[in-house]
């Protein structure tokens, strides 16, 4: 395994860690409009108060790693997705401020609730829109982006935006079912049922539309013998969705775990579809990589930094494990 492949795998892991860890706490904000009781909203926020800012570390690691290891890809993608990237970052900042102020501002709590929810929905939607635009491909000529500022906006990217919002909402519901109990947990189970159906429909439509966007994607999945090798991914995903539907009714920890499994298989399918391109449809990760000596030098830093991040993340989740009450962490 060479340095280029190691770095593309490290960045893929960082992005997946961000999607799943920040995904469920964004999901809590997405669920706010369905939860009217201020006390229950406070309990929802308490479940992520000790870990939500640590979850966003992976976004910095993924973005920073892309900038350092694949500078050409970073330059092209940032130029192509300038508007959704900065909209997402502003939404995350807006959401973070609301998170802190809500606990202190009793007179304007409703306004901060709205800000928290809006920031969560917009951030998730922008991530989904970028995913759709990324799959459709970036217009590049002679190593430079030659598209327009709104090329990322299309019916497909809008559909991907809704799919990510629903997926994060389901992750958040699974997390809350695990952390809550009593009547409120029952309400969350009822919310999860339509989300499972909606996510299953979204996964099917996005998967089929992805193969329609680029004939090369369809060949990878539907030509023999690839079709036989890759068939376990959609088949296991369908099995997990069926299991999730039944787990929602009576399980606690299983709902969140199964949803993570579905996210992993979707992410794996996404990676297989695009490999080896880092800027679809033409630029591979090897074309966009930094010099070998730079990649080797940065790998030393990553070898020191990653265990530290994994260690404090695991410790935070261990310390605040179990059910969450009304006591709060602010």
């Amino acid at each position: 395994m060479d340095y280029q492949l190691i770095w593309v795998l490290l960045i893929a892991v960082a992005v997946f860690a961000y999607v799943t860890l920040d995904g469920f706490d964004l999901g809590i904000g997405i669920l706010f409009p369905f939860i009217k009781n201020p006390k229950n909203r406070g309990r929802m926020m308490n479940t992520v108060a000790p870990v939500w800012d640590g979850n966003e570390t992976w976004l910095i690691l993924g973005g920073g790693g892309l900038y350092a290891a694949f500078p050409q890809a970073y330059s092209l993608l940032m130029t192509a997705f300038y508007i959704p990237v900065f909209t997402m970052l502003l939404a995350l900042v807006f959401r973070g401020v609301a998170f802190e102020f809500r606990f202190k501002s009793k007179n304007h709590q409703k306004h901060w609730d709205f800000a928290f929810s809006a920031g969560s929905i917009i951030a998730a939607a922008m991530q989904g829109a970028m995913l759709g635009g990324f799959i459709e491909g970036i217009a590049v000529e002679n190593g430079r982006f030659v598209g327009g500022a709104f090329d990322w906006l299309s019916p497909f990217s809008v559909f991907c935006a809704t799919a990510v919002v629903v997926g994060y909402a389901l992750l958040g519901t699974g997390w809350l079912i695990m952390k809550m109990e009593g009547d409120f947990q029952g309400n969350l189970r009822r919310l999860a049922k339509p989300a499972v159906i909606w996510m299953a429909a979204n996964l099917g439509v996005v998967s089929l539309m992805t193969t329609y966007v680029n004939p090369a994607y369809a060949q990878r999945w539907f030509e023999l013998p690839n079709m036989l090798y890759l068939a376990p991914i959609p088949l296991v995903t369908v099995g997990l969705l069926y299991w999730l539907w039944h787990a929602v009714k009576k399980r606690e920890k299983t709902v969140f775990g199964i949803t993570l499994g579905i996210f992993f298989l979707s992410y794996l399918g996404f990676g297989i579809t695009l490999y080896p391109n880092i800027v679809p449809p033409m630029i591979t990760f090897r074309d966009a990589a930094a010099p070998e000596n730079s990649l080797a030098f940065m790998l030393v830093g990553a070898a020191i930094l990653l265990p530290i991040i994994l260690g404090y993340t695991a410790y935070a989740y261990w310390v605040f494990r179990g059910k969450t009450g009304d006591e709060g962490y602010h």
Side-chain angles (χ1 to χ4, degrees), residues 28 40 68 99 103 105 122 129 159 167 171 178 199 202 220 222 230 250 254 259 276 289 309 311 313 322-323:
I28 288 172
N40 284 337
F99 200 114
F103 285 95
S105 177
I122 292 170
F159 192 84
L171 263 181
M178 190 168 57
M199 190 174 84
N202 282 340
R220 176 153 301 177
F222 297 130
L230 300 177
K250 52 188 176 183
T254 315
T259 311
I309 296 173
T313 301
K323 300 291 183 183

Side-chain angles (χ1 to χ4, degrees), residues 34-51:
F34 303 96
I35 308 297
K36 303 301 180 186
N37 188 324
K39 185 178 177 181
N40 284 337
R41 287 182 172 182
R43 294 171 68 193
M44 292 164 69
M45 295 179 87
N46 281 338
T47 65
V48 293
V51 296

Side-chain angles (χ1 to χ4, degrees), residues 131-138 151-157 213 217 280-281:
L131 173 65
F134 186 75
I135 292 172
E136 287 185 304
I138 311 298
D151 278 8
W152 56 275
L153 189 59
S154 68
F156 181 65
S157 69
V213 162
Y217 300 161

Side-chain angles (χ1 to χ4, degrees), residues 19 51 92 105 162 184 262 264 293 322:
V19 166
V51 296
L92 289 175
S105 177
T162 61
F184 186 38
I262 294 169
F264 172 74
N293 55 351

Side-chain angles (χ1 to χ4, degrees), residues 40 50 90 92 95 107-108 125 148 274 278 315:
N40 284 337
L90 286 173
L92 289 175
R95 175 179 179 272
N107 294 332
H108 300 283
L274 297 183
I278 196 168
Y315 182 69

Side-chain angles (χ1 to χ4, degrees), residues 82 252 275:
Y82 186 85
E252 287 193 344
Y275 184 86

Side-chain angles (χ1 to χ4, degrees), residues 8 13 17 29 34-35 39-40 70 90 105 113 150 165 193-196 200 217 221 232 254:
V8 81
V13 169
F34 303 96
I35 308 297
K39 185 178 177 181
N40 284 337
F70 302 99
L90 286 173
S105 177
D113 281 354
F150 290 95
V165 170
K193 290 180 182 177
V196 174
Y217 300 161
W221 281 91
T254 315

Side-chain angles (χ1 to χ4, degrees), residues 222-236:
F222 297 130
E223 284 193 351
L224 293 172
N226 287 0
M227 190 173 175
L228 297 177
Y229 297 142
L230 300 177
I233 296 175
L235 291 176
V236 174

